[in-house]
Amino acid sequence: MKKVAVITDSNSGITQEEAKKLGITVLPMPFFINDELYYEDITLSQEEFYRFLSQNADVKTSQPTPEAVLYIPMSSGLSSSCETAKMLSQDYEGRVFVVDNQRISWSMKQSVLEALVLAQKGYEGRQIQEILERDGRQASIYITLDTLKYLKK
C-alpha cells in the first residue's frame, strides 16, 4: 500500500501545532504587510494580523510553494495559488495532486481531515483528489464583514 502525504495551507485554519498532531504539513500563507514578508502561524500570529488590519496596513497575500503529493490549497476563486500549484504539479508526472474543491477556512479544514481518512484507508492520491473535488460543493460557509475594503482588494 502506498502512502499519501497530505498538505494544505494555513488558510485551512489548521495550526502548525495541530498539523504535527495530525501528521500533515501546513504550508504557511505568505503575507506582505507594509512591504514586509510574514508567514502565517510562523512569523505572524492571528492577533498580529488583525492588529495590522485594524491599523489600515497594506496587506497582500503571496503564494506558498507546493511541495507535496496531495496539496489542498484555498479555493482557486480566491487565490492564484491553486492554479500555480496545478501548473507546477505537471512537472511531477502524476505524483503531485492539487485539489481544487472551492473551499476555504472550516470547510477546507474538513477536506484535509477527509483526505487523511482516505489516505489511511489506502486510497491513491488521484482517487482522493477526485473524491474531494466531486464532493467540494456540498459544503457552505457564510462570512460576515465589517468592511468590504480588503474583499475589494
Side-chain angles (χ1 to χ4, degrees):
M1 172 170 57
K2 295 181 182 178
K3 294 215 175 219
V4 176
V6 176
I7 283 205
T8 187
D9 64 43
S10 55
N11 286 291
S12 67
I14 298 173
T15 65
Q16 296 294 330
E17 184 178 323
E18 189 177 4
K20 287 178 187 172
K21 290 176 185 174
L22 292 170
I24 64 171
T25 300
V26 173
L27 297 176
M29 191 68 179
F31 286 94
F32 282 95
I33 302 175
N34 296 331
D35 296 320
E36 188 173 334
L37 179 62
Y38 295 88
Y39 291 94
E40 187 173 16
D41 202 27
I42 302 291
T43 59
L44 178 69
S45 70
Q46 285 186 354
E47 293 80 15
E48 291 170 314
F49 177 75
Y50 290 119
R51 183 176 48 80
F52 279 121
L53 288 179
S54 71
Q55 295 171 349
N56 206 24
D58 182 32
V59 178
K60 298 175 184 159
T61 61
S62 186
Q63 321 182 63
T65 304
E67 302 173 352
V69 175
L70 185 68
Y71 179 53
I72 305 172
M74 68 190 298
S75 170
S76 64
L78 296 173
S79 172
S80 61
S81 298
C82 188
E83 290 306 317
T84 299
K86 282 183 180 181
M87 180 188 69
L88 294 172
S89 73
Q90 295 172 6
D91 293 340
Y92 293 94
E93 301 174 1
R95 293 180 296 150
V96 175
F97 304 96
V98 180
V99 176
D100 184 11
N101 61 349
Q102 305 298 308
R103 291 191 176 188
I104 186 78
S105 188
W106 180 87
S107 62
M108 184 175 163
K109 181 177 182 176
Q110 284 304 117
S111 291
V112 172
L113 298 175
E114 289 172 30
L116 277 173
V117 169
L118 292 170
Q120 290 167 352
K121 288 183 177 181
Y123 284 79
E124 300 282 331
R126 169 79 58 212
Q127 293 171 308
I128 297 170
Q129 176 192 25
E130 290 170 356
I131 291 167
L132 293 178
E133 288 180 350
R134 181 192 69 212
D135 297 344
R137 299 206 186 266
Q138 293 180 2
S140 298
I141 61 172
Y142 297 91
I143 300 171
T144 61
L145 306 168
D146 291 331
T147 176
L148 296 179
K149 179 180 177 181
Y150 292 101
L151 187 61
K152 183 179 177 183
K153 280 186 169 184

